[in-house]
Amino acid sequence: MYSQGTKGLSRRKSRVLTRLQELLAWADREICMEPDEFAYRRGWTVTRTGFASRRYRDPRFDLLKIPPRVPEEVS
C-alpha cells in the first residue's frame, strides 16, 4: 500500500479549481465590460450581484426629495 497518493491529487485539484475561478472571473469581466465602463464614466455605482449580473445605481437619486404636499383648496 502507498500512503502518499493523496497529497499530489489534492494539490492538482486546488490548482484546477484556482484556474477555473480565474477563468470565470475573466469571463464575468469580459461580459460586463461595456456596461461597467458606461456606468463608471457617468459616476454610477456598480455592484456585482452574481455571474454576469450587476446592479447599476446613479447616486444622484439620493439627492431627490419628495415635494411637500400642497393643501387642497376648499371653495
Side-chain angles (χ1 to χ4, degrees):
M1 287 266 185
Y2 296 106
S3 62
Q4 61 190 15
T6 59
K7 272 189 178 179
L9 182 61
S10 68
R11 283 187 200 141
R12 269 182 271 153
K13 281 184 183 179
S14 177
R15 282 194 301 258
V16 168
L17 287 176
T18 300
R19 184 65 180 144
L20 283 174
Q21 289 171 339
E22 290 171 354
L23 286 171
L24 285 173
W26 174 82
D28 180 60
R29 285 189 306 271
E30 287 293 316
I31 290 169
C32 297
M33 186 183 303
E34 282 185 44
D36 287 353
E37 287 178 8
F38 177 86
Y40 285 127
R41 274 187 259 129
R42 280 153 182 75
W44 297 357
T45 58
V46 178
T47 306
R48 184 176 182 265
T49 58
F51 179 75
S53 64
R54 305 284 197 269
R55 180 177 299 127
Y56 301 101
R57 188 165 194 294
D58 188 343
R60 293 178 296 174
F61 287 132
D62 296 334
L63 303 175
L64 297 177
K65 296 181 182 176
I66 298 174
R69 291 186 60 112
V70 178
E72 294 181 28
E73 287 187 25
V74 178
S75 51

